[in-house]
């Protein structure tokens, strides 16, 4: 945490993604404003850069949370940032199949994501993380605080998500799928030749 400029004695809620409207970072900032009154308020780590960067920094200042929000800009390796997060959040308004979501799962982070695009599929309908409506700062804040307040549940979600992503999209799974494909193709070719 300290290497990223974060306080070691406060929880870290974070996200990774391009800073643009469709990613919903403004909603995450509104959620962060709601949780700042807690005795030990979480700090927010925003990894990425993009066209909304300056506007988001101004929004953080206007909400009075600029000191609690750490914008890293673009980083070459997101793993240290993900490892520092107690909860990973994907606040998107629109999403396809999010690499950041799968990366957070791969390192076992408990996840809160909006129920848009492929998020529900990746999180198995909410079994592997908490799904909330898009553009709902209150629901996002409540879901994050719920995981921070229930470390056992958060850890269990992180473990299950990690196991699932490794099983579904890990190298072994991909190699096995490719081997099955080739076996079927070779068997079909053998039947045609006979």
């Amino acid at each position: 945490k300290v290497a990223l400029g974060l306080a070691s004695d406060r929880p870290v809620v974070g996200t990774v993604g391009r800073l643009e409207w469709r990613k919903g970072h403004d909603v995450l900032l509104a959620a962060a404003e709601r949780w700042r009154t807690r005795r030990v308020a979480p700090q927010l780590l925003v990894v990425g850069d993009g066209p909304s960067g300056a506007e988001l920094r101004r929004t953080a200042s206007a909400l009075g949370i600029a000191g609690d929000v750490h914008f890293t800009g673009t980083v070459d390796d997101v793993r240290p940032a993900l490892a520092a997060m107690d909860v990973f959040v994907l606040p998107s308004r629109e999403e396809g199949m999010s690499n950041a979501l799968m990366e957070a799962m791969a390192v076992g982070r408990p996840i809160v994501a909006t129920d848009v695009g492929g998020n529900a599929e990746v999180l198995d309908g909410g079994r592997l993380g908490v799904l909330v409506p898009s553009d709902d700062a209150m629901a996002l804040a409540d879901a994050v605080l719920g995981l921070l307040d229930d470390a056992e549940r958060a850890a269990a979600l992180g473990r299950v998500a990690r196991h699932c992503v490794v099983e579904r999209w890990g190298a072994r799974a991909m190699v096995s799928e490719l081997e099955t494909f080739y076996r079927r193709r070779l068997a079909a070719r053998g039947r045609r030749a006979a």
Side-chain angles (χ1 to χ4, degrees):
K1 289 182 179 181
V2 176
L4 294 166
L6 301 164
S8 60
D9 61 343
R10 293 173 59 199
V12 177
V13 176
T15 191
V16 175
R18 183 164 165 74
L19 305 185
E20 58 187 355
W21 178 85
R22 70 184 189 92
K23 293 294 189 177
H25 293 94
D26 56 318
V27 180
L28 181 54
L29 291 175
E33 193 270 334
R34 294 177 182 278
W35 68 54
R36 74 180 177 145
T37 58
R38 288 175 64 96
R39 190 175 60 79
V40 181
Q43 52 203 320
L44 181 58
L45 180 61
V46 179
V47 179
D49 207 351
S52 298
E55 180 184 340
L56 291 168
R57 287 175 177 82
R58 285 191 298 273
T59 299
S61 291
L63 292 171
I65 60 171
D68 295 324
V69 182
H70 304 272
F71 291 93
T72 68
T74 302
V75 298
D76 291 329
D77 185 359
V78 298
R79 289 175 297 182
L82 288 169
M85 296 176 193
D86 295 288
V87 176
F88 175 84
V89 179
L90 191 67
S92 304
R93 291 181 170 97
E94 302 170 6
E95 195 63 65
M97 183 71 83
S98 171
N99 286 335
L101 185 59
M102 289 187 278
E103 288 170 339
M105 292 170 69
V107 295
R109 297 297 88 197
I111 293 167
V112 175
T114 51
D115 192 3
V116 299
N119 293 349
E121 180 183 344
V122 172
L123 293 177
D124 196 17
R127 187 177 67 85
L128 307 176
V130 180
L131 290 166
V132 298
S134 175
D135 270 314
D136 189 337
M138 179 76 83
L140 194 61
D142 289 347
V144 166
L145 294 177
L147 288 178
L148 290 175
D149 290 342
D150 189 347
E152 198 171 296
R153 178 176 179 236
L157 281 172
R159 277 191 308 273
V160 172
R162 183 181 189 296
H163 174 76
C164 190
V165 79
V166 167
E167 289 297 311
R168 276 183 15 202
W169 294 296
R172 256 187 227 139
M174 295 301 191
V175 167
S176 176
E177 194 173 307
L178 195 56
E179 287 173 344
T180 300
F181 170 78
Y182 281 120
R183 268 191 237 106
R184 287 183 184 148
R185 297 291 296 166
L186 288 171
R189 179 177 274 173
R191 283 191 301 270
R192 277 187 297 222

